[in-house]
Amino acid sequence: MDLYERDHWRLRVDIDPFLSLSVAMVALRFIYSSSFLLLLIHLLTPQAQPHSLTKPTSRFSIQEATVDDIRLAFSEKKLTSKQLVEFYLEAISKLNPLLHAVIETNPDALLHAEMADRERQLKGVTKLPMLHGVPVLLKDNIATKDKLNTTAGSFALLGSVVPRDAGVVKRLRRSGAVILGKASLSEWANFRGFIPNGWSARGLQGKNPYVLSVDPFGSSSGSAISVAANLVAVSLGTETDGSILAPSNQNSVVGIKPSVGLTSRAGVVPISLRQDSVGPMCRTVSDSVYLLDAIVGYDPLDEATKTASKYIPKGGYKQFLRRNGLKGKRLGIVMGSLPDNHIKTLRQEGAIVIENLTLPITDSGEGIALLAEFKISLNAYLKELVKSPVRSLADVIAFNKKFKKEKVKEWGEEVFLEAEATNGMGDKEKEALLSMKEVSRNGIEKLMKEKKLDAIVTDGFMLSSVLAIGGYPGINVPAGYDSEGVPFGISFGGLRFSEPKLIEIAYGFEQSTLIRKPPKFKP
């Protein structure tokens, strides 16, 4: 959820009808294989029980399967990457007409899965990266130089050709991950206008898998919905202000918004290079951390990664998955309170919890800066495309007016128009940048220093703007469900490059509560 959707909270898959048929034919070729049949039954049985987050069993189930579960099944030869891709494709074909979480699937996913299986036979699971052979869904604003489109959910970019894989995609491919497809999103990362959360012209209206009538939030709605509904185990989203934390909160998944620059934004349809960040959205903290480890690092095409890469700990982030991660941590609760049972849990696990802390609430000038930054960044992105129907923000605005499926009459494109009216980073914009630095310095930075905090904590995702304007990291972890079954989470935030502490805290909280449960698709 970005700045302009805050007061307007609220996915269609372009699946070739022959895709479902082809998947079914592949399945039939294996139907007499007992192991495949067992796995197929697990996939298609709604009552399948979720796995323990901490102890994978020897019996593999697609429902709630973690990366550790998948790797165990690989090593015990109970599962292949090809079978796993087939299962997810079948799940997408069955559920996506309801959820609109995936815009398109990768026609080469099965081929890449077979390649991963052959490599595993040669080297063995333990000698390969954590995500080797694991399917990953990408938000549709993350570029892939393959048969997939990269459109930010808009028909204006359909058929455009990117010059190269996004920086994070290059790293995923090197890790052996299988790119399964593109997840839907709030169109243009919800920076077009006041469109409903989770809606895009290509993806249609995304649905919350827990309660279908409830807002899925955005803009990384499809990424959250997909992992929540077991259409994939791990996915990537992007955030400018709340776009990972908000849908993670609303769809009962774990979302990590990394410090700006820790993950490359090269090849991502931009809003603001000052605030944009690419991060994991998964069902567990451990899966999110495995995905984070795979995508962090220096990218010569993103200057911010040069400095940020120096803060990546030797050995990566998975070493901070500590069951006792809350012990001794000083946590400050801001912007309200937490449910009493969670405050009690934090303290029982050894955290020092300081309640009723406040952060100054003021207009930081974020919106003023984002409008100008968006026009500059988007125009640069569009001009670099090898082929594209549009080459500037002005072109996109004109396209939308002519193309009825973009629903400009219904939803408008006010933010686009405001951004187009800007003329670079003038005095007003520079003043806004200074204001945001001042707000951060006198807000989160001052509070954490004075109270000697390891992290600030809030119910839901209210921290998003505080973290956004300073490029700070945050993690949202499932924390429960209301009386109607709608999920909610808790967000932990900290200063730049404090991911190790935040991971310890988030993992400690998750493991002490184990609250997440699969969705029931209530109306």
Side-chain angles (χ1 to χ4, degrees):
M1 188 188 72
D2 288 316
L3 183 70
Y4 287 91
E5 61 177 295
R6 196 169 301 134
D7 296 322
H8 299 264
W9 299 337
R10 276 219 238 246
L11 241 211
R12 165 190 147 160
V13 76
D14 292 332
I15 290 183
D16 189 319
F18 295 104
L19 176 62
S20 296
L21 178 61
S22 64
V23 170
M25 291 176 67
V26 171
L28 286 171
R29 291 205 304 270
F30 286 86
I31 203 70
Y32 294 106
S33 161
S34 60
S35 61
F36 177 81
L37 182 56
L38 177 61
L39 289 166
L40 188 61
I41 290 171
H42 277 302
L43 170 66
L44 300 178
T45 305
Q47 305 93 315
Q49 294 299 309
H51 270 275
S52 161
L53 293 175
T54 52
K55 295 181 179 179
T57 65
S58 60
R59 185 184 181 196
F60 179 77
S61 170
I62 194 72
Q63 284 288 91
E64 300 292 283
T66 66
V67 171
D68 287 327
D69 292 343
I70 291 168
R71 283 173 61 85
L72 179 63
F74 284 164
S75 67
E76 294 180 344
K77 302 192 186 304
K78 293 181 179 179
L79 179 71
T80 64
S81 293
K82 183 180 180 182
Q83 287 173 335
L84 188 59
V85 167
E86 288 170 341
F87 300 151
Y88 286 138
L89 290 176
E90 181 66 16
I92 291 168
S93 71
K94 286 180 176 294
L95 286 174
N96 204 64
L98 173 68
L99 299 175
H100 302 300
V102 181
I103 286 187
E104 58 183 280
T105 55
N106 187 355
D108 290 331
L110 285 169
L111 174 63
H112 295 160
E114 289 176 332
M115 293 168 63
D117 288 333
R118 286 195 292 271
E119 188 173 11
R120 193 182 309 111
Q121 287 176 345
L122 292 172
K123 298 182 180 179
V125 174
T126 57
K127 295 183 179 180
L128 293 169
M130 287 297 296
L131 293 181
H132 186 273
V134 176
V136 182
L137 271 174
L138 310 174
K139 186 175 178 180
D140 185 39
N141 60 349
I142 301 174
T144 53
K145 184 70 172 176
D146 53 17
K147 295 175 184 176
L148 289 165
N149 288 285
T150 304
T151 68
S154 170
F155 281 104
L157 284 178
L158 186 61
S160 63
V161 179
V162 299
R164 64 190 72 85
D165 279 339
V168 291
V169 175
K170 290 177 183 177
R171 289 186 172 274
L172 283 174
R173 294 198 198 277
R174 286 202 293 268
S175 76
V178 177
I179 307 303
L180 185 63
K182 296 293 181 76
S184 194
L185 70 164
S186 306
E187 190 173 296
W188 294 102
N190 224 339
F191 213 77
R192 190 188 98 173
F194 300 114
I195 63 174
N197 287 326
W199 180 88
S200 68
R202 289 195 65 217
L204 302 183
Q205 181 59 58
K207 299 293 182 68
N208 187 310
Y210 287 87
V211 182
L212 298 170
S213 59
V214 167
D215 194 332
F217 288 16
S219 64
S220 304
S221 44
S223 303
I225 295 166
S226 297
V227 293
N230 285 279
L231 304 184
V232 73
V234 298
S235 69
L236 277 185
T238 67
E239 174 156 332
T240 305
D241 186 337
S243 282
I244 289 174
L245 299 179
S248 295
N249 179 84
Q250 192 76 346
N251 294 277
S252 200
V253 300
V254 175
I256 299 180
K257 180 249 180 185
S259 301
V260 170
L262 202 60
T263 54
S264 172
R265 288 81 47 80
V268 176
V269 181
I271 293 178
S272 163
L273 292 179
R274 180 181 48 80
Q275 290 188 198
D276 292 349
S277 189
V278 181
M281 303 177 75
C282 309
R283 290 187 291 271
T284 67
V285 175
S286 57
D287 283 359
S288 299
V289 171
Y290 297 153
L291 186 49
L292 182 66
D293 272 335
I295 62 173
V296 297
Y298 173 64
D299 182 349
L301 296 177
D302 184 348
E303 185 64 27
T305 62
K306 186 175 183 179
T307 298
S309 62
K310 298 174 184 177
Y311 292 89
I312 300 171
K314 186 177 181 180
Y317 292 99
K318 67 180 180 181
Q319 62 186 298
F320 302 104
L321 293 169
R322 297 169 180 165
R323 175 63 182 80
N324 64 344
L326 284 165
K327 189 174 182 180
K329 297 295 193 298
R330 290 179 62 86
L331 308 178
I333 300 176
V334 298
M335 300 177 174
S337 186
L338 301 181
D340 291 341
N341 60 320
H342 290 327
I343 294 176
K344 183 179 179 180
T345 296
L346 293 172
R347 286 177 169 148
Q348 285 178 337
E349 294 296 316
I352 300 158
V353 181
I354 306 170
E355 299 182 66
N356 303 315
L357 297 180
T358 59
L359 285 169
I361 298 174
T362 182
D363 182 6
S364 66
E366 179 185 14
I368 293 171
L370 288 180
L371 288 169
E373 290 170 331
F374 175 65
K375 180 180 178 181
I376 295 168
S377 300
L378 183 65
N379 285 348
Y381 173 88
L382 294 175
K383 286 175 183 176
E384 194 185 20
L385 294 174
V386 175
K387 173 186 174 186
S388 178
V390 290
R391 291 291 181 181
S392 67
L393 175 56
D395 288 348
V396 178
I397 292 171
F399 177 94
N400 288 348
K401 288 179 180 178
K402 295 178 182 178
F403 202 72
K404 290 184 178 180
K405 288 185 178 180
E406 288 295 337
K407 294 193 173 183
V408 169
K409 287 185 178 180
E410 293 88 343
W411 308 126
E413 51 182 342
E414 295 87 353
V415 179
F416 271 8
L417 293 171
E418 288 185 54
E420 179 58 25
T422 63
N423 189 28
M425 300 300 288
D427 292 340
K428 182 173 65 172
E429 289 78 15
K430 291 175 182 176
E431 185 178 337
L433 295 180
L434 291 173
S435 174
M436 282 184 279
K437 288 181 180 179
E438 185 72 14
V439 169
S440 295
R441 185 164 52 246
N442 292 326
I444 181 174
E445 292 180 9
K446 182 179 180 181
L447 178 66
M448 293 193 69
K449 183 178 180 180
E450 288 183 349
K451 301 296 182 180
K452 299 179 180 179
L453 300 176
D454 293 297
I456 55 174
V457 190
T458 189
D459 192 17
F461 57 95
M462 292 184 290
L463 286 176
S464 68
S465 291
V466 173
L467 303 178
I469 64 172
Y472 307 118
I475 304 180
N476 187 276
V477 183
Y481 306 85
D482 69 14
S483 60
E484 302 298 319
V486 180
F488 62 88
I490 287 178
S491 289
F492 303 95
L495 300 181
R496 282 172 63 79
F497 312 119
S498 64
E499 278 83 358
K501 284 184 179 180
L502 294 182
I503 289 167
E504 288 181 329
I505 293 165
Y507 187 68
F509 175 76
E510 176 199 55
Q511 293 298 299
S512 63
T513 55
L514 296 178
I515 275 174
R516 189 198 135 74
K517 57 186 178 182
K520 293 185 177 179
F521 310 100
K522 292 181 180 180

